[in-house]
Amino acid sequence: MSRIAGVFEALKGQGRKALIPYITAGDPAPDQTVGLMHTLVKAGADIIELGVPFSDPMADGPVIQLACERALVHGTSLRQVLGMVRSFRETDDRTPVVLMGYLNPMEAMGFEAFADSAKDSGVDGILTVDLPPEEADEVAPLFTARELDAIFLLSPTTTDERIRAISEHSSGYVYYVSFRGVTGAKGINVPEVADRVNNIHTLTALPVAVGFGIRDAQTAAEVGRVSDGVIVGSVLVDTIASNQTDPEQLKRALTDLLHPMREALDGLAS
């Protein structure tokens, strides 16, 4: 069983929901990323999504686009990101790490070399935003052979037939994008999300984690009530931008934002 599957199974047995924060590797500086990852775990993260900075993050809104720019100014590369995961694993061999990014850096590194390095570094899953499963024939077997979970996106417009097809190529969990648009947009229709997630659950046995639009403890609880996990990204990245000159204040600010979400999600089990 993968680390990701183990986390979801343990949480399900406890009646709890997964809290999955996203940050961009190398933002605000490469030497802070590992420390921020540990801060997220201490604040209640079950799984970490670690963004690989890219010059054209087409699915992301301005907040994460700027984070990628800040990281790239420091020269943050895919190899460096893998090194960050390796450093994180020196003191945390429990928390799953999912790399989230775009195909180009992996292709430039070489898919097999990337898959080998990801496995050796302690990565658990790969979410490639611009790689649909129908076009993953070259890379998916490489991930499977190295026990790396392949995670794909579902959207409000994804048909039932396509949900089934995507689920057949997926492992770990599926990422449901709660609304049309890019990351960082405000507003989430929880009843609509509940209907869609309930339908997805009839089409796949994989856990369904919901991202986009989760900005506070109330929203996290509302979405957690109807899903297996919540993914929190832009509001954390925005907090990093606002506190980038003070590393210790940054850690406190991230904790102050994430810990209430953890408490709100755990309150659903009581």
Side-chain angles (χ1 to χ4, degrees):
M1 180 182 294
S2 72
R3 259 190 292 243
I4 294 174
V7 163
F8 276 105
E9 183 175 277
L11 289 171
K12 185 177 181 179
Q14 299 163 8
R16 300 170 64 229
K17 304 303 177 75
L19 178 57
I20 309 173
Y22 165 97
I23 60 172
T24 303
D27 177 37
D31 62 358
Q32 293 187 45
T33 297
V34 175
L36 294 181
M37 292 170 71
H38 288 301
T39 295
L40 297 176
V41 174
K42 291 177 183 177
D46 296 298
I47 297 169
I48 293 174
E49 285 189 356
L50 187 62
V52 178
F54 182 53
S55 57
D56 185 23
M58 64 188 75
D60 295 300
V63 170
I64 294 179
Q65 287 180 15
L66 289 171
C68 286
E69 290 179 12
R70 291 191 296 270
L72 291 171
V73 164
H74 293 290
T76 307
S77 67
L78 177 56
R79 291 186 186 277
Q80 286 180 312
V81 175
L82 293 167
M84 294 170 190
V85 178
R86 185 176 291 108
S87 295
F88 176 74
R89 284 282 171 248
E90 291 176 4
T91 52
D92 188 323
D93 62 358
R94 179 186 61 84
T95 307
V97 175
V98 174
L99 293 190
M100 183 173 183
Y102 295 82
L103 189 63
N104 185 269
M106 301 177 197
E107 188 172 20
M109 184 175 178
F111 292 131
E112 188 164 3
F114 165 71
D116 284 339
S117 187
K119 176 64 175 179
D120 292 343
S121 300
V123 172
D124 299 281
I126 312 292
L127 197 168
T128 310
V129 177
D130 55 346
L131 180 66
E134 297 89 344
E135 299 176 15
D137 290 346
E138 182 177 357
V139 297
L142 298 175
F143 295 163
T144 300
R146 291 156 181 81
E147 299 179 328
L148 296 168
D149 285 324
I151 298 161
F152 292 98
L153 301 173
L154 303 176
S155 77
T157 59
T158 306
T159 65
D160 287 1
E161 181 180 6
R162 183 161 170 74
I163 291 171
R164 291 190 187 94
I166 290 174
S167 298
E168 289 177 0
H169 292 84
S170 302
S171 57
Y173 59 96
V174 291
Y175 185 136
Y176 177 65
V177 176
S178 65
F179 52 75
R180 303 167 185 83
V182 295
T183 59
K186 296 180 180 179
I188 183 170
N189 186 327
V190 176
E192 182 178 291
V193 170
D195 287 342
R196 290 293 292 159
V197 171
N198 286 337
N199 182 61
I200 294 168
H201 275 142
T202 69
L203 302 170
T204 180
L206 290 171
V208 181
V210 176
F212 288 37
I214 298 167
R215 306 187 66 82
D216 52 32
Q218 179 181 344
T219 313
E222 290 173 350
V223 174
R225 188 173 286 110
V226 301
S227 68
D228 301 298
V230 299
I231 300 165
V232 186
S234 291
V235 68
L236 295 175
V237 176
D238 198 28
T239 299
I240 290 172
S242 300
N243 296 274
Q244 58 184 296
T245 61
D246 188 337
E248 292 308 312
Q249 173 57 31
L250 171 54
K251 291 179 181 179
R252 289 193 294 270
L254 289 176
T255 299
D256 289 346
L257 183 62
L258 199 63
H259 186 64
M261 296 186 189
R262 172 78 277 162
E263 291 184 326
L265 289 173
D266 287 348
L268 300 174
S270 60

